[in-house]
Structures are given as C-alpha cells and as structure tokens.
C-alpha cells in the first residue's frame, strides 16, 4: 500500500520594511506642518515710509447769528424794497403792503413794458445759480425748491426795486395806495426764515443738526400774507458762529486749540475762527467757531459743510494697529558707562555680581537700550535680559549703588528687519485714527523703509517672523 504524501503550505516570513515606516512618518510630519501653516494667523508687515497726515473729516455746522424776526403789521400783498443780504440804515423802507393788489398789477405791467435788469442784477442771479450748482446733492433734492423760491423772489424783487425807485410819484398819480414799512434799526435784511432765529448756543442738541426736520420759508414778492406773519428778519451784527458736534477723538484733538482754520466744501472758502467747546442742552459736547466777517455770504443758509484744516506734520507714517506699549526698567543716566574698545564701545552699567563664596565684585555689563530721556535709560525687563529685578549697579568711580526695579512704559512698534521682532520706540506727531505720523531720526527709533509688524498684538519680543 502506497504512502499518502502530506502537503504542508509554506508560510512566507513577514519582513518589516523600515524605509516605508520612515517615509510614512516624514509624510505625516510634512502634512501636519502644512496644515499648521495654513491654519495659523498670517503676520503681515508694513514698510515704513515718509509722509504726513491731513485731517479731512467733514462736519455739518449749524450757523447762528444775531437775528430778529419782523412780523407783518397787517394783511396784504407784500413787495420788498431791499434785496436779500443788503444792509439797511435805520428808517429805511423795507417792504410795502397793498390790501387790494393794485400795486402788484402795476408792477406786472411794468415788467411787461420791458423793465431791464442792470449788470449788478444779472451778476447777483448768476452767483445764486452758481452756488446752487456747487452745493447740489441728490440726497437733499427738496432743497432745490427752497432755492427755486429764492430765485423767483430775487427776480421779482429786482424788477420791483428798479421800478419803485423811479415810479413813486407815478403811483401816487394813479391813486395806488399802499402801506410802506420802515425799519427802526440798522442791519442786514434776509427773507429766509426758520425756527432757529434767536437760538442761544447752549440750547443746541443733537436734533438741531438733523436736516430732514429742517423747514425754511423764503419770502416772495407779490404774495398775500396775513397780519402777524413773519415777513423778514434783521441781522444786527457781522459776528456769527458755527456749532458742530464733537466726538471723543475731536475733543482730544482740539483740546489745546483756541483757533481753528476751516474750509467750506461748497465754495472753497477758508476762514480762521476762535474755537471753544460748549455743552448743549442735551449734555453733549459741541465745538463753537466765532467769526467776524463773511457773515453775509451765508445769510440765507442755516447749515454749512466744512473741513478742519490741520497743519500737515512731516515724519514717518505708520499704521495705528502697529503701535503697542511695553514696560522697561528705568535706570538713571548718571549710572551709565562705556565699555569695549573704541571701535565697538557699548553703553552699559557696572553690575554687582557674587562668586560662589558670596564675594562681591563689579563687572561692566553691556545693556540693550530701548529709549532714553534726560533722566533715564530704558532697558529690557525679561528674565533672559542681562539685568533683572533686584540687581544692583554701581556708579563709575563711586560707591553709590542703585537697585533695579522701577519700570515705565514706552510706546513703540515691532521691527522685523532681522527676521525676529525687536521693539522700537516711537514719538507720535499726529494721527487720524488709522495712521500716525512719528518723528524721524530719533535715537533707538525707526528709519524709512524699515519693516514693522502690521498688527502688534500678534507678536511678542524676540518672536521669529516668517514673512
């Protein structure tokens, strides 16, 4: 009987491939690095440039004057004798009231007869039209109607002035009777009337500047008015004021100012006015600018758009976000010394050190200076620094000692020219909330074309920066 052969399956031994493991670990490490790089906040830098900051913030100002509103003494059709913005002496004829309307009909006939405008009349109308074109704003279209009424009134008034100055006797002959009204005081005449006449600066509130609530009436020649209706107003002084709301930033910026120069955006006029800060009826802070001329130019206006003209201070321009503060040890300047040879001399201090046996000695130790004043040097406070809290330094050629411990803050930015963050102090000249102008050429400070961290809150001293 033949023997049955038993077949045994050969199992191949498992070989451990160290190369595959190493490759896998390297791949995982690289993937983790890429993931961390993509996920981390990007530190951006800013290249320091020379420049200046001009404050171009626009304000809406409220104009106040010494105004007195005059009411009609009786009902009738009104006709004016003094143009808008013209000065009238006491006893001057200002307007007339005609109960029947016969005067109005006569004036219309005079216009149809070809009463001509003078060159002065035409120049006045052209100026009004030019002012309207310059100040037009789609968002305030309703103001166009006020200007239309004002222009209509001006045209009628100019015709009336030209006619009535020559035709008083003819009117009397025709039996046209009307009441003529004379002013009892000298002043400048305006026919634009609103609710702000007689308002005191202390009565201003936030609502006073809301143009959507503002209503103005402009007197129109030939219009029938009732007794007691405001018919014109008298401005008795060339002095006038502009009020405007102040933010906390504005209050700080103008705190030490007693005069401000402003530029009106509508007509490119620049004026300098006495500046003061007042408190309104609502407790808010408001700026007040007082002027002694050019009041007539704004006689028909209650609001004015303007910019405060600031002196542009030249220096280095840096972003506000790059500025931070840091505390430093303060050491009296009289303790400073110089060490090393002439080619590599460094500022430092003689520091007390102790041997293992407790024996004291004095060693010159160079210091990294971050800033200085007439009284103090500012040096690093970190644990890795050459000087620590509680260390003693000795004045050169003296036994006088000073214990390090007092600190004070410096304002500065992080310079990254060397690939890591280094604090550099700054001296601010001006700012607008987004940028600062800082002094250039300062000790321990920045230079043009330096690279600084755009957002100082993202780094710390000595941090390595990957641009």
């Amino acid at each position: 009987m033949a023997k049955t052969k038993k077949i045994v399956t050969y199992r191949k031994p498992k070989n451990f491939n160290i190369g595959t493991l190493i490759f896998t670990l390297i791949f995982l490490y690289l993937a983790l690095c890429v993931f961390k790089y993509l996920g981390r906040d990007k530190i951006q830098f800013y290249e320091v440039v020379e420049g200046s900051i001009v404050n171009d913030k626009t304000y809406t100002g409220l104009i106040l004057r010494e105004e007195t509103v005059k009411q009609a003494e009786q009902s009738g059709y009104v006709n004016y004798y003094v143009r808008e913005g013209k000065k009238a002496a006491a006893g001057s004829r200002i307007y007339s009231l005609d109960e029947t309307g016969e005067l109005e009909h006569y004036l219309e006939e005079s216009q149809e007869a070809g009463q001509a405008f003078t060159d002065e009349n035409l120049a006045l109308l052209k100026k009004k039209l030019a002012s309207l074109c310059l100040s037009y704003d789609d968002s305030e279209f309703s103001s166009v109607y006020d200007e239309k009424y004002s222009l209509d009134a001006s045209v009628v008034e100019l015709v009336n002035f030209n006619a009535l100055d020559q035709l008083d006797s003819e009117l009397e002959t025709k039996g046209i009777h009307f009441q003529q009204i004379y002013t009892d005081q000298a002043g400048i005449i305006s026919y634009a009337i609103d609710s702000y006449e007689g308002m005191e600066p202390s009565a201003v509130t936030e609502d006073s500047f809301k143009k959507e609530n503002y209503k103005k009436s402009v007197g129109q020649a030939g219009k029938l008015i009732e007794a007691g209706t405001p018919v014109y107003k008298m401005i008795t002084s060339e002095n006038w004021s502009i009020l405007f709301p102040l933010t906390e930033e504005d209050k700080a910026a103008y705190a030490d100012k007693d005069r401000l120069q402003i530029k009106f955006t509508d007509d490119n006029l620049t004026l300098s006015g006495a500046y003061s800060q007042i408190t309104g009826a609502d407790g808010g802070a408001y700026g007040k600018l007082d002027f002694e001329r050019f009041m007539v130019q704004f006689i028909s206006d209650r609001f004015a758009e303007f910019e405060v003209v600031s002196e542009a201070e030249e220096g280095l321009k840096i972003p506000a976000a790059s500025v931070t503060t840091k505390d430093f040890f303060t050491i009296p300047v009289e303790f400073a010394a110089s060490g090393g040879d002439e080619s590599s001399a460094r500022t430092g201090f003689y520091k007390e050190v102790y041997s293992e046996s407790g024996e004291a000695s004095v060693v010159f130790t160079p210091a990294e200076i971050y800033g200085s004043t007439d009284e103090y040097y500012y040096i690093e406070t970190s644990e890795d620094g050459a000087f620590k809290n509680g260390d003693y330094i000795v004045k050169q050629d003296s036994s006088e000692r000073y214990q390090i411990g007092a600190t004070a803050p410096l304002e500065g930015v992080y310079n990254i020219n060397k690939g890591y963050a280094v604090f550099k102090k700054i001296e601010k000249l001006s700012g607008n909330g987004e940028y600062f102008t800082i002094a250039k050429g300062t000790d321990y400070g920045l230079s043009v074309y330096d690279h600084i961290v755009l957002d100082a809150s993202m780094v710390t001293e000595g941090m390595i920066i990957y641009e």
Side-chain angles (χ1 to χ4, degrees), residues 74-111:
Q74 65 181 51
S75 300
Y77 294 89
V78 63
N79 285 284
Y80 301 112
Y81 289 76
V82 179
R83 291 197 295 274
E84 174 86 5
K86 291 296 181 180
K87 190 168 185 177
S92 297
R93 180 174 57 179
I94 303 299
Y95 68 97
S96 66
L97 288 172
D98 170 27
E99 294 183 11
T100 63
E102 293 179 1
L103 177 61
E104 176 64 18
H105 293 315
Y106 175 80
L107 292 173
E108 289 177 359
E109 292 173 0
S110 297
Q111 295 174 41

Side-chain angles (χ1 to χ4, degrees), residues 236-255:
T236 56
S237 173
E238 289 282 353
N239 298 331
W240 57 295
S241 302
I242 293 182
L243 304 180
F244 60 101
L246 296 175
T247 63
E248 291 299 322
E249 182 181 346
D250 293 333
K251 289 194 291 184
Y254 309 141

Side-chain angles (χ1 to χ4, degrees), residues 35-43 458 463 466-467:
F35 178 78
K36 289 178 66 178
Y37 175 79
L38 294 176
R40 70 182 176 88
D41 292 331
K42 304 297 187 299
I43 297 175
M458 298 179 65
M463 181 175 174
Y466 300 94
E467 296 186 18

Side-chain angles (χ1 to χ4, degrees), residues 30-312:
L30 291 175
L32 180 62
C33 290
V34 171
F35 178 78
K36 289 178 66 178
Y37 175 79
L38 294 176
R40 70 182 176 88
D41 292 331
K42 304 297 187 299
I43 297 175
Q44 296 177 304
F45 73 90
Y46 173 87
E47 185 174 84
V48 178
V49 296
E50 290 185 285
S52 61
I53 295 174
V54 177
N55 183 3
D56 58 356
K57 184 176 181 180
T58 301
Y59 299 91
T60 296
L62 176 68
I63 298 174
L64 297 183
R65 321 172 187 86
E66 295 182 19
E67 304 167 301
T68 303
V69 177
K70 305 290 186 179
Q71 283 82 27
E73 298 180 5
Q74 65 181 51
S75 300
Y77 294 89
V78 63
N79 285 284
Y80 301 112
Y81 289 76
V82 179
R83 291 197 295 274
E84 174 86 5
K86 291 296 181 180
K87 190 168 185 177
S92 297
R93 180 174 57 179
I94 303 299
Y95 68 97
S96 66
L97 288 172
D98 170 27
E99 294 183 11
T100 63
E102 293 179 1
L103 177 61
E104 176 64 18
H105 293 315
Y106 175 80
L107 292 173
E108 289 177 359
E109 292 173 0
S110 297
Q111 295 174 41
E112 292 172 1
Q115 180 68 44
F117 285 140
T118 65
D119 290 341
E120 183 184 359
N121 298 159
L122 291 172
L124 177 65
L125 293 175
K126 287 179 181 178
K127 183 179 178 181
K128 282 180 172 288
L129 286 169
S131 178
L132 172 61
C133 292
L134 289 172
S135 61
Y136 176 73
D137 187 345
D138 286 335
S139 63
E140 299 178 6
F141 183 77
S142 60
S143 64
V144 174
Y145 290 100
D146 289 336
E147 296 297 337
K148 176 183 180 298
Y149 297 145
S150 179
L151 284 169
D152 288 343
S154 295
V155 172
V156 176
E157 288 158 18
L158 290 171
V159 173
N160 290 354
F161 301 148
N162 295 341
L164 289 173
D165 284 344
Q166 304 169 14
L167 301 178
D168 278 348
S169 58
E170 188 173 340
L171 292 170
E172 191 69 29
T173 302
K174 290 181 175 290
I176 298 177
H177 301 289
F178 53 94
Q179 182 184 11
Q180 301 189 68
I181 312 300
Y182 299 84
T183 179
D184 58 353
Q185 61 183 146
I188 299 170
I189 304 300
S190 174
Y191 304 109
I193 298 172
D194 52 28
S195 59
Y196 288 88
E197 289 87 4
M199 179 179 180
E200 293 294 329
S202 58
V204 70
T205 66
E206 185 179 349
D207 290 339
S208 303
F209 297 87
K210 293 181 178 178
K211 292 185 180 180
E212 61 270 22
N213 300 331
Y214 178 68
K215 293 182 179 180
K216 178 177 71 173
S217 63
V218 180
Q220 301 176 57
K223 182 179 179 181
L224 177 63
I225 61 174
E226 300 293 331
T229 301
V231 65
Y232 76 97
K233 65 185 178 187
M234 177 74 73
I235 293 91
T236 56
S237 173
E238 289 282 353
N239 298 331
W240 57 295
S241 302
I242 293 182
L243 304 180
F244 60 101
L246 296 175
T247 63
E248 291 299 322
E249 182 181 346
D250 293 333
K251 289 194 291 184
Y254 309 141
D256 60 343
K257 305 289 186 182
D258 56 12
R259 294 194 73 83
L260 290 180
Q261 189 174 45
I262 66 172
K263 179 181 179 182
F264 294 93
T265 56
D266 288 343
D267 53 15
N268 211 29
L269 174 67
T270 300
L271 290 178
S272 177
Y275 170 76
S276 59
Q277 181 181 316
I278 66 170
T279 301
D282 59 354
Y286 299 90
K288 181 171 177 280
L289 291 167
D290 296 316
F291 304 96
E292 298 175 349
R293 58 192 183 119
F294 290 101
M295 184 275 296
V296 173
Q297 191 155 335
F298 301 90
I299 196 165
S300 301
D301 302 321
R302 186 59 70 183
F303 298 98
E305 303 289 328
F306 65 90
E307 299 173 358
V308 175
V309 179
S310 59
E311 294 183 1

